[in-house]
Amino acid sequence: MKLEDEAHELELIAKALQIISKEISYQGLAKALLREALSYCGVARGGVLLSEGGELLAKVDASFPRERAKFFTSYPAAREIRLPADLGERVLNRRETVIRHATWEDSALIDPAEPPPRNITQLCLPLVHQEWTIGVLYLEAERGEEIFTPRCVWVMSMLASQAAVSFESVSLFEALRETNMWMVKGQEIGRMGSYRWNTRTLLSRASRECYRIFDIDLEINPVPFEVFKSCVHPDDFPALEQAIAEAVSTKSPFSQEYRVVHRDGTILSVAAVGQFDLGPSGDVELEGIITDITERKAAEQALTDARNELARAVRLASLGELAGSIIHEINQPLTGIIMSAEACLRWLARDHVEPSEARKSAVRVIEQGHRASDVITGLKSLVRNAQLNFTKIDINDAVEKVLLLSKRELERAGVILRIDFDRTLPNIAADLVQIQQVVLNLVRNAIEAMADVEGRSRILTASSKAADGHVSVTITDTGVGINPANRERLFDALYTTKESGLGLGLSICRKIVTVHGGRLWVEENTTHGATFAFVLPLCQSIQISGRN
Ligand code: ADP
């Protein structure tokens, strides 16, 4: 061979080696090796098979896609490459390079697109990488042509060696590609992106999912801080900036939730966390994860909405109950009014007019009218702050007057009254009428609680004393007592255990005492019954409107 031919040939070989070494996929590697081999030898038929006999799988393990145990390529296209048993034994197991004459039945190309010539010469080389046969290079020519010269075989073995070496890079690359694919997929499923932000250059590098979350074009890499800033909701940016500044100055872990605005106006909620370390450049970098929590936020919002809706429904139900009670409470006196008024008319319509009976009926009309009016007044003081009229009052005197008013009621109910007042109490500032309403309510409740009591004395004890800047008043009974489970519910508007109760008394009482700056509560007696107590402050900061 002439020198320049030799130089030209070496150039061809170098080029072929270079092409093979550049491949980064199994398929690409197999194709490049076949193309270069066919072109160098000048034959028209051949194939490359990667991964034969399972050894390859054992070697490359994770990176080699298990679902495709082998890769092959051939020219002409064939269904499969399968070496005849003896050839397989020599090439794959003994790793020999074999040239042999055969007939078309022994061709390794199974069901080729073009049928082989009747008599063929085969060249078959193992692809050996670190002790392992990772595949074969198979070429065939029509017998008679002197194609597979020793030089040709030498060049083919060089190409095969290069392919085997490249196989290593392909494995690594495939492994990397697969790991990366897992990460991208994982981040996509978890709606979570990773980022590194250089605190000196203010540039960020981020995973694909971050680009999706922020709606930033993939070409922008690294991402300048201004681009990132333009994605953050303007209302959330100041807090985010402050959180970043704090984390940067203290080097403490960073965590912040904020909103991201997409170019089409879509708004996402994200949670960002991160921590500081030294990046590859030696700069301090914030490395972390950004999670798209839009769906979680929406679910939380839906839950809050549902809770509010439920609370509203409960309120409406209470309103319904309240309305029912109001109707009941007002209907009774109204029915009474109508009946008494009709009776009155009947007395007047008689031949012998009975003015005294008519008068009685008219008085009953007035009484029932007052009852209806009282119910309405009670409701008014519950729903609206009644105008308080503060004066200086003697609390003992106020309570005593209520007891006096209730005297007949107490007697009728067979209740013994005991009074235990501290007579040295100073006057306090309070609305007399309202405080008396509280006491009256507590006394009535006490009487009612003792109504069904048999076999023990019905005793109502009213006491007063000074207590730590306050005066305290207690109304104790020997009635049915309080079920501890319902203790706080007693003060809820509409809570009642009585058939004709309105359940407003205690809630109104508590409201009155509270606006006086005091407190009203219930205690269970050690033996029988209950004690309702309230305290009122000795000194009122509220302006006193009257004098006493
Ligand atoms: P009402 O008297 O219309 O039921 P209240 O708000 O005054 O409304 O009272 C609410 C409930 O508290 C009563 O139905 C009763 O069950 C309970 N209660 C109030 N006072 C007493 C008491 N002295 N002893 C036992 N239970 C009481």
Side-chain angles (χ1 to χ4, degrees):
M1 199 187 267
K2 279 204 239 143
L3 207 58
E4 60 202 62
D5 285 349
E6 199 152 327
H8 178 66
E9 199 192 1
L10 279 176
E11 206 177 306
L12 281 181
I13 296 169
K15 210 160 164 206
L17 290 173
Q18 210 178 17
I19 287 169
I20 293 169
S21 65
K22 273 190 189 146
E23 282 306 322
I24 53 168
S25 74
Y26 295 112
Q27 199 69 40
L29 180 64
K31 280 188 173 155
L33 174 60
L34 179 64
R35 204 173 45 238
E36 296 309 314
L38 292 178
S39 127
Y40 183 86
C41 301
V43 293
R45 304 173 67 87
V48 168
L49 174 65
L50 290 180
S51 175
E52 178 64 41
E55 287 112 332
L56 183 65
L57 276 181
K59 167 79 178 100
V60 294
D61 199 25
S63 69
F64 199 94
R66 282 180 177 275
E67 68 276 14
R68 295 182 64 187
K70 57 186 180 182
F71 284 93
F72 77 90
T73 184
S74 70
Y75 193 86
R79 183 161 53 83
E80 209 184 316
I81 295 182
R82 197 189 315 135
L83 300 184
D86 59 325
L87 194 57
E89 163 62 23
R90 288 176 64 190
V91 177
L92 293 171
N93 293 349
R94 288 194 249 139
R95 295 183 205 133
E96 291 173 14
T97 297
V98 178
I99 302 177
R100 69 169 201 177
H101 299 306
T103 57
W104 63 272
E105 288 105 329
D106 280 335
S107 171
L109 305 180
I110 309 299
D111 295 341
E114 286 167 29
R118 166 154 274 287
N119 294 310
I120 52 175
T121 306
Q122 299 168 311
L123 167 62
C124 199
L125 294 99
L127 303 181
V128 180
H129 177 61
Q130 292 178 356
E131 311 283 297
W132 297 94
T133 308
I134 56 154
V136 286
L137 167 61
Y138 171 82
L139 301 170
E140 64 183 26
E142 190 158 5
R143 200 180 312 162
E145 301 171 31
E146 276 311 307
I147 291 214
F148 302 126
T149 60
R151 187 171 179 85
C152 175
V153 173
W154 175 71
V155 172
M156 286 308 103
S157 59
M158 272 209 304
L159 295 190
S161 314
Q162 179 58 55
V165 170
S166 296
F167 184 84
E168 174 95 65
S169 337
V170 170
S171 307
L172 289 173
F173 196 83
E174 285 284 329
L176 198 66
R177 182 156 41 202
E178 196 166 11
T179 311
N180 191 46
M181 201 184 70
W182 284 339
M183 195 193 77
V184 168
K185 203 84 203 139
Q187 292 203 348
E188 204 179 297
I189 293 167
R191 294 178 171 267
M192 183 187 282
S194 40
Y195 67 93
R196 268 194 97 88
W197 179 58
N198 186 311
T199 57
R200 187 181 60 81
T201 62
L202 304 186
L203 293 171
S204 302
R205 281 173 296 123
S207 71
R208 187 176 279 260
E209 186 59 12
C210 272
Y211 280 83
R212 184 201 67 80
I213 292 174
F214 284 88
D215 188 27
I216 297 175
D217 291 331
L218 279 168
E219 300 83 68
I220 305 176
N221 185 13
V223 179
F225 192 71
E226 282 310 309
V227 173
F228 164 74
K229 183 180 171 182
S230 70
C231 304
V232 177
H233 194 293
D235 292 352
D236 296 352
F237 189 74
L240 172 63
E241 200 174 28
Q242 196 184 342
I244 294 175
E246 258 173 46
V248 169
S249 65
T250 55
K251 299 284 171 295
S252 52
F254 162 78
S255 166
Q256 184 77 3
E257 285 187 13
Y258 53 92
R259 284 167 299 167
V260 167
V261 186
H262 282 190
R263 283 169 283 190
D264 65 1
T266 308
I267 295 180
L268 301 188
S269 295
V270 303
V273 290
Q275 58 190 33
F276 290 91
D277 61 14
L278 280 186
S281 60
D283 291 335
V284 174
E285 293 192 351
L286 177 65
E287 182 181 41
I289 281 171
I290 290 177
T291 312
D292 177 355
I293 56 167
T294 314
E295 278 176 19
R296 197 181 81 198
K297 283 260 169 197
E300 281 170 8
Q301 188 56 47
L303 194 65
T304 312
D305 290 350
R307 273 203 200 114
N308 289 342
E309 189 52 34
L310 191 67
R312 209 173 72 87
V314 168
R315 269 203 305 277
L316 280 179
S318 310
L319 268 181
E321 269 179 49
L322 180 60
S325 304
I326 293 168
I327 290 163
H328 176 77
E329 281 294 303
I330 307 242
N331 232 3
Q332 262 184 332
L334 283 183
T335 316
I337 287 170
I338 293 166
M339 277 164 55
S340 303
E342 280 171 356
C344 178
L345 286 179
R346 273 199 306 275
W347 289 120
L348 291 174
R350 283 194 168 195
D351 292 343
H352 299 288
V353 177
E354 297 269 4
S356 63
E357 289 302 325
R359 179 187 296 271
K360 275 189 210 158
S361 298
V363 168
R364 273 200 295 279
V365 169
I366 294 170
E367 278 173 5
Q368 311 268 21
H370 279 309
R371 163 121 178 93
S373 160
D374 286 349
V375 172
I376 289 170
T377 312
L379 282 170
K380 269 205 284 190
S381 50
L382 179 72
V383 295
R384 150 154 49 93
N385 275 331
Q387 200 63 44
L388 289 177
N389 182 21
F390 276 87
T391 55
K392 282 201 168 168
I393 65 162
D394 177 345
I395 190 77
N396 292 334
D397 195 35
V399 177
E400 233 160 9
K401 283 212 173 85
V402 173
L403 294 172
L404 204 65
L405 272 174
S406 313
K407 198 162 176 265
R408 287 213 19 226
E409 227 177 307
L410 287 163
E411 278 170 8
R412 243 185 283 134
V415 175
I416 304 162
L417 177 65
R418 284 194 189 144
I419 290 181
D420 178 16
F421 285 161
D422 176 349
R423 298 286 172 187
T424 64
L425 287 179
N427 285 351
I428 58 160
D431 183 315
L432 179 64
V433 179
Q434 301 254 359
I435 294 303
Q436 283 184 326
Q437 198 187 331
V438 172
V439 178
L440 183 64
N441 209 71
L442 297 183
V443 169
R444 286 221 172 115
N445 276 346
I447 294 171
E448 281 167 4
M450 293 186 284
D452 295 333
V453 163
E454 298 292 343
R456 63 171 184 268
S457 309
R458 297 169 189 168
I459 304 169
L460 188 151
T461 311
S463 64
S464 71
K465 62 175 189 235
D468 196 20
H470 289 76
V471 292
S472 94
V473 174
T474 53
I475 305 292
T476 304
D477 62 59
T478 54
V480 288
I482 306 290
N483 179 349
N486 294 333
R487 184 174 303 174
E488 269 313 299
R489 292 181 64 204
L490 305 186
F491 299 92
D492 289 348
L494 300 165
Y495 177 80
T496 181
T497 55
K498 299 169 193 168
E499 216 163 89
S500 59
L502 203 56
L504 289 173
L506 286 178
S507 58
I508 294 172
C509 290
R510 184 170 260 186
K511 193 170 172 199
I512 292 172
V513 172
T514 308
V515 294
H516 275 79
R519 211 161 60 78
L520 167 68
W521 70 97
V522 63
E523 288 165 8
E524 222 175 318
N525 293 352
T526 40
T527 48
H528 300 289
T531 295
F532 281 82
F534 65 88
V535 290
L536 296 170
L538 272 174
C539 305
Q540 271 293 352
S541 56
I542 306 167
Q543 198 74 41
I544 296 169
S545 59
R547 275 188 227 158
N548 212 342

